[in-house]
């Protein structure tokens, strides 16, 4: 007989431990089914949610899902928990916490003050009791502001990552794609390249090229080459003009070891980037990427469902005060998120949970070509995230990444969403667009033809 039990439709369901409750309470997900963790029926799923709704929030402090002794991410979560910040909700159950999050009392100031008192497991638990509309409503109330050369997360703003990838890392091709994106107002969150190679010399070449473009056009933004953290440290040692340190992270020590990282290594990288003092409006120098299923694919999930492990990754991010965090929601494939329903749900979960923990969350609205999804589904997720106040979205030329071979959003998509929802780029970047003659008096970017002054000015300067 399990410690956790509930009756649904006359059938009693027993759950052996808290990990089982969390996994069975999750919305249907192909990754959890692959791992053998998912509920066997909708009735069992509902029973798990009933158990979860009555569970005190503080139970997650008393019962770690991953052992404290063997996992440094768990130790980070427990040892940095802010009891004073947690006090306002300490007496609540998970169900009561959901109701409070949706109340008028949970405004932006209250949520910001609460964030250090929440653990990933508490946040993952409450998200399992929330419908999509709840996830949007709560996330829209969270305000997380960070800065480097632009200020991100302000109300009424929607930033973007310009992703000018190239299959051979050709600097001229990347520079051309960068100029294309700038003409659509992209790049205020970051101009970020996924390199085709891990060669440090090639990484330095791209960093120098991006920095030259930034300085030539006096662009108030930050650049990043999304290489391994050890390469970034080596690039700094070689004197490269590095703005942000990038790293993919996961929610367990074992999964992070698979990425070749540890918390101490991330700390070393952050200190190296801070020593360069390249920021002008802030010192948030880290850029993290995450995604549901990463720990399962590394067989390092400890029997914890993939969404909860994903939220644990946000505890890693939070410890290093990042400028941006991005969940690459559909990139891992249908083995983990089978179709558009699962991808859309996961994108909203990740965004809301990250914001509740105090992170500047962006989303790569994307899918692989063998997933049951298409660009209409990306339109839906993009729009929902815009309403939910997403910090930034990622755009690639034509929505088709020619290096990583997956489908994302285009520059046009993000520009259209800004117009639809009346969202502006980061203030420093919006001012630059106006100075360059690329936006009109209303802050809109009009379509450009070949004779447009802004286009001729950029091309002439770029020549």
């Amino acid at each position: 007989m399990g410690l956790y039990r509930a009756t649904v439709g006359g059938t009693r369901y027993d759950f052996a431990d808290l990990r089982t409750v969390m996994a069975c309470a999750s919305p249907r997900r192909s990754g959890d089914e692959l791992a053998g963790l998912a509920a066997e029926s909708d009735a069992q799923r509902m029973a798990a949610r009933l158990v979860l709704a009555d569970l005190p929030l503080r139970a997650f402090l008393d019962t770690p899902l991953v052992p404290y002794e063997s996992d440094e991410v768990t130790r980070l979560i427990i040892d940095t928990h802010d009891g004073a910040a947690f006090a306002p909700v300490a007496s609540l159950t998970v169900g009561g916490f959901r109701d409070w999050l949706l109340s008028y009392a949970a405004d932006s100031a209250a949520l910001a003050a609460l964030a250090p008192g929440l653990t990933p497991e508490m946040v993952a638990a409450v998200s399992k009791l929330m419908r999509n509309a709840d996830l949007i409503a709560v996330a829209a109330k969270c305000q997380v502001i960070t800065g480097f050369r632009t200020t991100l997360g302000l109300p009424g703003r929607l930033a973007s990552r310009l992703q000018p990838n190239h299959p051979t890392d050709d600097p001229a091709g990347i520079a051309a794609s960068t100029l294309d994106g700038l003409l659509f107002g992209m790049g205020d969150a970051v101009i970020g390249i996924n390199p085709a190679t891990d060669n440090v010399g090639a990484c330095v070449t791209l960093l120098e090229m991006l920095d030259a473009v930034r300085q030539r056009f006096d662009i108030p933004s930050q650049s990043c080459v999304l290489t391994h953290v050890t390469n970034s440290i080596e690039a700094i040692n070689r004197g490269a003009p590095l703005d942000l340190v990038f790293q993919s992270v996961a929610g367990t020590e074992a999964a992070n070891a698979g990425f070749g990282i540890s918390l101490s290594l991330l700390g070393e990288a952050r200190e190296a980037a801070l020593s360069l003092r390249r920021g002008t409006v802030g010192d948030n120098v880290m850029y993290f990427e995450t995604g549901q299923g990463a720990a399962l694919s590394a067989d390092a999930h400890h029997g914890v469902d993939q969404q909860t492990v994903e939220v644990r990754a946000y505890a890693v991010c939070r410890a290093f005060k990042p400028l941006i965090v991005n969940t690459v929601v559909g990139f891992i494939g249908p083995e983990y998120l089978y179709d558009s329903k699962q991808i859309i749900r996961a994108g909203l979960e990740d965004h809301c949970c990250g914001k509740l923990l105090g992170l500047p969350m962006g989303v790569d609205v994307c899918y692989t070509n063998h997933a049951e999804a298409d660009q209409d589904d990306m339109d839906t997720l993009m729009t929902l995230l815009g309403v939910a106040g997403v910090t930034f979205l990622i755009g690639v030329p034509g929505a088709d990444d020619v290096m990583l071979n997956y489908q994302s959003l285009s520059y046009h998509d993000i520009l259209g969403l800004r117009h639809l929802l009346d969202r502006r780029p980061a203030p420093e970047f919006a001012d630059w667009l106006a100075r360059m003659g690329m936006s009109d008096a209303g802050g809109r970017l009009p379509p450009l033809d070949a004779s447009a002054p802004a286009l001729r000015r950029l091309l002439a300067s770029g020549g």
Side-chain angles (χ1 to χ4, degrees):
M1 179 181 299
L3 176 63
Y4 306 95
R5 66 183 70 91
T7 299
V8 171
T11 300
R12 192 178 76 175
Y13 294 90
D14 290 294
F15 303 93
D17 50 36
L18 191 51
R19 279 181 301 191
T20 307
V21 174
M22 291 285 277
C24 290
S26 284
R28 187 177 181 188
R29 197 136 306 172
S30 54
D32 289 336
E33 292 174 343
L34 179 68
L37 301 174
E40 295 177 353
S41 66
D42 288 337
Q44 187 188 26
R45 181 172 294 111
M46 186 52 65
R49 289 176 181 173
L50 288 172
V51 171
L52 206 52
D54 291 335
L55 194 73
L57 272 182
R58 62 171 60 254
F60 294 100
L61 296 173
D62 301 330
T63 312
L65 301 187
V66 179
Y68 179 94
E69 296 76 13
S70 59
D71 187 274
E72 68 172 1
V73 177
T74 300
R75 293 195 290 276
L76 173 71
I77 293 167
I78 298 299
D79 294 348
T80 61
H81 180 252
D82 186 332
F86 180 58
V89 298
S91 63
L92 298 179
T93 63
V94 178
F97 184 44
R98 173 193 171 275
D99 294 344
W100 182 83
L101 287 173
L102 292 166
S103 72
Y104 294 129
D107 58 17
S108 297
L111 291 169
L114 177 64
L118 297 177
T119 69
E121 291 82 359
M122 295 175 190
V123 170
V126 77
S127 76
K128 296 175 192 297
L129 303 183
M130 298 166 77
R131 290 172 49 194
N132 286 0
D134 300 338
L135 296 169
I136 293 168
V138 172
K141 295 193 289 185
C142 296
Q143 191 173 103
V144 183
I145 299 172
T146 58
F148 189 77
R149 292 195 189 94
T150 53
T151 306
L152 305 178
L154 293 168
R157 306 283 173 170
L158 171 60
S160 60
R161 171 186 161 191
L162 198 170
Q163 183 171 303
N165 292 345
H166 191 280
T168 63
D169 289 342
D170 175 56
I174 291 172
S177 185
T178 300
L179 293 180
D180 183 28
L182 290 170
L183 289 167
F184 283 95
M186 299 297 105
D188 48 337
V190 65
I191 303 172
I193 303 168
N194 295 95
T197 172
D198 277 340
N199 179 276
V200 176
C203 170
V204 170
T205 297
L206 293 177
L207 285 169
E208 291 174 342
M209 183 276 291
L210 286 176
D211 200 54
V213 170
R214 180 186 67 80
Q215 293 196 52
R216 172 171 292 188
F217 300 123
D218 193 25
I219 305 170
S221 186
Q222 36 283 331
S223 64
C224 185
V225 175
L226 282 70
T227 189
H228 193 269
V229 64
T230 51
N231 287 352
S232 292
I233 293 172
E234 177 59 24
I236 291 172
N237 291 337
R238 295 187 188 185
L242 184 144
D243 291 337
L244 304 181
V245 171
F246 167 82
Q247 184 56 49
S248 294
V249 298
T252 68
E253 180 178 342
N256 283 329
F259 285 148
I261 63 167
S262 63
L263 299 182
S264 61
L265 179 60
L266 294 176
E268 179 186 345
R270 178 171 181 266
E271 290 303 316
L274 284 171
S275 72
L276 300 180
R277 300 182 183 278
R278 292 174 59 81
T280 55
V281 301
D283 62 356
N284 300 110
V285 296
M286 303 299 284
Y287 172 10
F288 293 115
E289 282 194 351
T290 68
Q292 292 193 25
L296 174 58
S297 68
D299 193 23
H301 57 95
H302 293 269
V304 179
D305 66 275
Q306 68 179 32
Q307 188 252 346
T308 300
V309 177
E310 166 71 7
V311 186
R312 283 170 53 91
Y314 302 155
V316 176
C317 302
R318 182 168 62 175
F320 299 99
K321 305 183 188 314
L323 177 72
I324 47 176
V325 177
N326 173 51
T327 172
V328 193
V329 69
F331 185 74
I332 200 164
E335 297 83 1
Y336 303 88
L337 295 171
Y338 180 72
D339 57 12
S340 59
K341 181 177 177 64
Q342 295 189 14
I343 292 171
I344 290 170
R345 172 73 192 186
L348 296 177
E349 286 171 352
D350 294 351
H351 175 250
C352 181
C353 291
K355 283 279 186 70
L356 279 173
L357 290 175
L359 291 175
M361 290 299 296
V363 179
D364 192 354
V365 177
C366 64
Y367 61 101
T368 57
N369 288 316
H370 60 313
E372 292 292 327
D374 59 28
Q375 217 63 28
D376 285 338
D377 302 312
M378 300 303 101
D379 290 347
T380 300
L381 179 54
M382 170 188 76
T383 306
L384 294 176
L385 287 167
V387 175
V390 68
T391 301
F392 74 102
L393 296 170
I394 291 179
V396 302
D400 185 5
D401 191 301
V402 296
M403 199 286 280
L404 293 171
N405 292 314
Y406 77 116
Q407 310 303 312
S408 182
L409 298 178
S410 72
Y411 304 147
H412 308 67
D413 294 329
I414 299 172
L415 180 59
L417 188 65
R418 279 177 175 163
H419 289 172
L420 175 66
L421 300 179
D422 193 22
R423 302 289 169 82
R424 304 294 173 85
E428 300 85 356
F429 197 81
D431 291 345
W432 176 77
L433 291 171
R435 286 202 309 274
M436 294 293 288
M438 294 162 64
S439 60
D440 63 18
R444 300 169 302 184
L445 271 71
L448 296 174
D449 59 37
S451 62
L455 180 59
R456 285 191 281 112
R457 188 179 306 118
L458 276 179
L459 292 178
S461 299

